[in-house]
Amino acid sequence: MTVNGEVAFYYTQARSYITQASLAIASDDHYRVERTAGNISQAAEFILKAMLINKGIKPPQTHKHEFLMNECGKAGIKIPKTFRSISPILYEYESSLRYDFDCEVDEQEVKDCIKIIENIYESVGIPYIHEAYITLSRTVPRDKLQGLSKTTAVAKFRKIFSTT
């Protein structure tokens, strides 16, 4: 596998949003469910865009998950039915919560979305990031890798593996 820094960046961003969603849903913040819904929507968007970039396709500048999924389909990328089934929900989160934190969001629905997005990430993102780190460790001396922050690692991914 050829590692593309942009793909690694998008998957790393997706992981960050998944983590933020998991932390938010467990908090006692008044807007925790809404914040979680927004974060998981972003994670899904980054996963879809990473999939497109990995196929050599520049992702469109949109937040519409269903459109991104259709673009993936055109590129021969199979999107699991569970992921497709939550596409309208994710887009509703994205479009509504960006401007209105008082909109109604079902907590169990959000938790279900988190599970689906985590499973998708585990099946496509983790293997890619693992390969990226292996490639990075072969490229950058070990002593320079130890103690790197995620931000620095992502910057190195983008610089070292960029195909543009």
Side-chain angles (χ1 to χ4, degrees), residues 98-162:
R98 184 174 289 239
Y99 305 107
D100 179 15
F101 262 172
D102 290 327
C103 71
E104 293 293 319
V105 179
D106 180 78
E107 184 171 351
Q108 188 55 52
E109 182 179 78
V110 172
K111 288 178 178 178
D112 293 343
C113 286
I114 290 172
K115 287 179 188 170
I116 291 169
I117 299 303
E118 282 180 330
N119 287 338
I120 299 298
Y121 178 79
E122 287 172 8
S123 67
V124 294
I126 288 177
Y128 197 93
I129 293 297
H130 177 74
E131 183 67 26
Y133 273 111
I134 289 171
T135 306
L136 182 63
S137 69
R138 290 181 189 140
T139 310
V140 179
R142 179 174 284 257
D143 63 325
K144 296 212 188 268
L145 277 178
Q146 292 176 341
L148 281 185
S149 70
K150 186 182 347 179
T151 304
T152 305
V154 168
K156 286 192 180 294
F157 283 148
R158 292 182 111 175
K159 183 176 181 183
I160 293 170
F161 304 119
S162 181

Side-chain angles (χ1 to χ4, degrees), residues 9-11 13-14 17 42-51:
F9 169 76
Y10 273 91
Y11 279 135
Q13 289 295 99
Y17 279 110
Q42 287 281 54
E45 180 183 331
F46 278 110
I47 289 169
L48 291 165
K49 288 182 177 181
M51 291 173 157

Side-chain angles (χ1 to χ4, degrees), residues 43-127:
E45 180 183 331
F46 278 110
I47 289 169
L48 291 165
K49 288 182 177 181
M51 291 173 157
L52 288 167
I53 295 167
N54 195 37
K55 283 283 195 175
I57 299 166
K58 182 178 168 114
Q61 292 184 346
T62 184
H63 302 296
K64 295 180 180 179
H65 299 85
E66 194 167 341
F67 182 79
L68 291 168
M69 287 180 186
N70 289 337
E71 292 299 302
C72 286
K74 290 177 191 174
I77 302 166
K78 293 185 180 181
I79 303 295
K81 287 180 185 177
T82 54
F83 199 179
R84 283 195 180 278
S85 71
I86 63 170
S87 171
I89 298 166
L90 295 171
Y91 182 66
E92 183 180 331
Y93 293 162
E94 173 66 34
S95 59
S96 299
L97 294 172
R98 184 174 289 239
Y99 305 107
D100 179 15
F101 262 172
D102 290 327
C103 71
E104 293 293 319
V105 179
D106 180 78
E107 184 171 351
Q108 188 55 52
E109 182 179 78
V110 172
K111 288 178 178 178
D112 293 343
C113 286
I114 290 172
K115 287 179 188 170
I116 291 169
I117 299 303
E118 282 180 330
N119 287 338
I120 299 298
Y121 178 79
E122 287 172 8
S123 67
V124 294
I126 288 177

